[in-house]
């Protein structure tokens, strides 16, 4: 079953309405930056398109204030893990995606977060629950038993999503790209309605009224419009590799300016801030920022790990990627996805990275081709389509 969704343009909300607002609960977790960014994307888009017709609230029962302490203790290990021992993540990811282990994990998490979810249902009485973290799909379907709410799983992984995104009791699933076979993801039974809308990105990446064109973005950061600018980011946690990539570019042979966003990795930020670039080159280092689109708009190319969120955002802006690493497990297929789409190049070593940056600097035709590839791969309407689905479902159950 697929619910027909049309994208009203201009936005659907009108000043005059008498029905009480639809209620949407967004379930997410701050493991990395991608789940939170897509959650924000849906909140913004619901408010933009539907105004007073909807109220939405986000709940993080894994790492947020509502999380039971033992759960938060385990979930918060994600950051240190991807920074210091990402190789552990692959076996963990694949091991927990084997049928019985996956079911056991789902049952354990469902039990562990039952209380905050029950409280959220009692308090917000949602019409739709949109789930933006794979470990929360099973708990959401359990929490809505006997309740009218519809459950939508919004997959925020690209290449090889974990099977927990697919749950037989979820009503709908929003997928980021075609060809994501649930079998490959290890799920045994289908979710009812599947929609290929793309990965929701925030309005700063899609709204011409908010986004900055290149020269303005550079002026804002004090960067010279004539220089070649490489931005470096290793996801929300500032994953392993980010420091190495940044150093190789700052001190490497290619004459480039470097913009590094370290995310929540404060130690990395402090270390890189001490680097002195060669004369004539600029280095800007920041911690976690909320204006990623403005920074990415200032860059000619983005060096990153194969995070689904940043890939979708770069594509929405038409910014070419140099994919220099990936988290084993769910990010394994993302680098091929970028290369196949013609949206960027993959590099295997830090030396290759410096060489690839130099090559792009020297080859405007190649850079232009990658920019076009990125643009073609972009799904800037993903958040709008997903919120339209949510509102269609909310109207169905009211
Ligand atoms: N991000 C951000 N500010 C930062 C660093 C990262 O908003 O300082 C966002 C970035 O724009 C993207 C997300 O964090 O939306 C990273 O998601 P991705 O899926 O690429 O990797 P993750 O951090 O989830 O592993």
């Amino acid at each position: 079953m697929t619910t027909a969704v049309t994208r009203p343009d201009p936005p659907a909300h009108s000043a005059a309405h008498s029905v009480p607002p639809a209620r949407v609960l967004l379930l997410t977790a701050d493991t990395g930056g991608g789940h939170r960014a897509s959650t924000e994307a849906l909140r913004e888009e619901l408010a933009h398109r539907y105004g007073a017709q909807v109220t939405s609230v986000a709940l993080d029962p894994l790492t947020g204030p509502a999380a039971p302490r033992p759960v938060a203790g385990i979930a918060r290990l994600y950051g240190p893990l991807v920074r210091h021992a990402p190789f552990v993540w692959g076996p963990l990811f694949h091991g927990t995606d084997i049928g019985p282990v996956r079911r056991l994990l789902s049952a354990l998490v469902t039990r562990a977060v039952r209380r905050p979810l029950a409280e959220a249902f009692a308090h917000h009485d949602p019409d739709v629950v949109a789930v933006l973290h794979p470990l929360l799909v099973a708990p959401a379907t359990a929490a809505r038993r006997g309740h009218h709410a519809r459950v939508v799983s919004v997959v925020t992984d690209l290449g090889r999503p974990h099977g927990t995104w697919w749950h037989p009791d979820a009503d709908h699933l929003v997928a980021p790209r075609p060809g994501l076979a649930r079998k490959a993801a290890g799920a045994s039974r289908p979710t009812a309605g599947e929609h290929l809308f793309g990965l929701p990105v925030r309005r700063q990446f899609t709204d011409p009224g908010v986004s900055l064109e290149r020269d303005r973005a550079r002026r804002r950061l004090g960067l010279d419009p004539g220089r070649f600018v490489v931005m470096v980011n290793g996801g929300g946690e500032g994953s392993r590799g980010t420091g190495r990539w940044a150093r190789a570019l700052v001190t490497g042979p290619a004459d480039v300016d470097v913009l590094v966003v370290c995310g929540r990795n404060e130690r990395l930020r402090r270390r890189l801030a001490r680097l002195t670039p060669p004369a004539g080159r600029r280095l800007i280092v920041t911690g976690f920022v909320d204006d990623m689109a403005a920074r990415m708009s200032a860059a000619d190319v983005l060096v990153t790990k194969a995070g689904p969120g940043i890939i979708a955002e770069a594509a929405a802006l038409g910014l070419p990627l140099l994919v220099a690493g990936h988290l084993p497990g769910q990010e394994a297929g993302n680098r091929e996805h970028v290369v196949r789409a013609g949206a960027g190049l993959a590099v295997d070593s830090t030396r290759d990275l410096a060489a690839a940056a130099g090559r792009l600097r020297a080859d405007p035709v190649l850079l232009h081709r990658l920019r076009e590839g990125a643009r073609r791969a972009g799904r800037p309407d993903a958040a709008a389509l997903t919120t339209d689905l949510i509102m269609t479902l909310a109207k169905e159950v009211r």
Side-chain angles (χ1 to χ4, degrees):
M1 174 190 71
T2 300
T3 301
V5 178
T6 50
R7 184 180 174 180
D9 200 14
H13 67 266
S14 68
H17 60 92
S18 50
V19 283
R23 292 177 301 274
V24 178
L25 176 62
L26 301 151
L27 294 182
T28 189
D30 275 344
T31 51
H35 305 294
R36 170 67 58 183
S38 286
T39 306
E40 279 308 307
L42 293 188
R43 283 195 80 175
E44 286 172 2
E45 201 66 35
L46 281 168
H48 175 74
R49 297 178 76 70
Y50 292 97
Q53 290 180 42
V54 63
T55 59
S56 69
V57 5
L59 177 74
D60 175 350
L62 294 180
T63 66
R69 202 179 290 171
V71 175
I74 295 172
R76 287 188 194 133
L77 289 177
Y78 178 85
L81 201 71
V82 303
R83 284 199 289 268
H84 304 299
F87 43 86
V88 176
W89 188 253
L92 257 181
F93 178 89
H94 292 296
T96 57
D97 211 3
I98 298 165
V101 186
R102 189 175 58 242
R103 283 189 287 279
L104 178 66
L105 175 68
S106 292
L108 287 174
V109 180
T110 299
R111 200 187 155 99
V113 301
R114 192 169 47 197
R115 193 150 169 195
L117 257 63
E119 283 168 6
F121 268 70
H123 197 247
H124 302 295
D125 189 21
D127 300 310
V128 178
V129 182
V131 190
L132 295 105
H133 193 287
L135 289 182
L136 295 173
V137 181
T141 61
R144 73 89 186 261
R145 243 165 246 149
H147 191 276
H148 72 277
R150 296 288 169 91
V151 174
V152 185
S153 170
V154 183
V155 179
T156 61
D157 283 319
L158 267 179
R160 204 296 194 187
H162 200 267
T164 40
W165 283 113
W166 280 261
H167 193 283
D169 296 336
D171 302 296
H172 290 262
L173 179 133
V174 173
R177 65 173 181 86
L180 278 187
R182 61 180 169 273
K183 268 210 186 103
S188 49
R189 281 201 282 153
T191 299
E194 298 199 357
H195 311 268
L196 297 175
F197 291 162
L199 194 149
V201 298
R202 290 165 286 176
R203 293 188 60 79
Q204 57 177 291
F205 293 93
T206 61
D207 184 345
V210 180
S211 55
L212 295 181
E213 48 81 29
R214 183 173 169 276
D215 284 4
R216 262 186 64 210
R218 286 193 176 193
R219 271 200 302 279
R220 187 176 153 270
L221 294 167
L223 287 165
D224 185 332
R227 297 276 300 160
F228 193 85
V229 177
V230 183
M231 177 165 161
V232 181
N233 171 246
E237 307 290 349
S239 66
R240 203 170 141 112
T242 315
R244 212 171 353 104
W245 307 331
R247 267 187 214 98
L249 290 161
V250 171
T251 57
D255 181 22
V256 297
D257 287 348
V258 181
L259 191 58
V260 196
V261 175
C262 301
R264 299 190 191 98
N265 194 338
E266 184 50 26
R267 194 155 156 230
L268 174 68
R269 188 196 66 74
R270 281 199 308 269
R271 279 198 189 156
L272 290 179
R274 289 199 288 267
L275 268 186
T276 310
R281 299 195 200 173
R282 288 285 314 277
L283 167 66
I284 299 177
V285 182
T286 62
F288 197 93
V289 296
D290 288 320
D291 60 347
M292 284 292 274
R295 285 164 198 273
M296 286 159 72
S297 300
D300 292 294
V301 63
L302 173 66
V303 172
T304 186
K305 78 178 175 79
I310 201 109
I311 290 173
E313 291 165 356
L317 292 175
L319 175 63
L321 293 165
L322 280 176
V323 183
H326 71 273
L327 190 60
Q330 80 257 29
E331 290 181 1
N334 297 1
R335 155 189 152 114
E336 283 68 35
H337 173 72
V338 169
V339 173
R340 251 199 327 269
L345 307 174
V347 290
D348 292 322
S349 68
T350 312
R351 186 189 297 174
D352 285 356
L353 170 65
R359 185 170 156 220
L360 290 181
R361 180 180 178 275
D363 190 344
V365 176
L366 173 60
L367 193 65
H368 177 75
R369 213 168 59 223
L370 295 176
R371 211 177 278 139
E372 291 304 306
R375 212 161 266 137
R376 275 196 308 277
R379 293 296 308 269
D381 56 352
L385 292 169
T386 307
T387 53
D388 288 353
L389 168 67
I390 289 171
M391 290 303 281
T392 305
L393 296 175
K395 281 180 196 138
E396 273 174 24
V397 297
R398 311 190 100 221

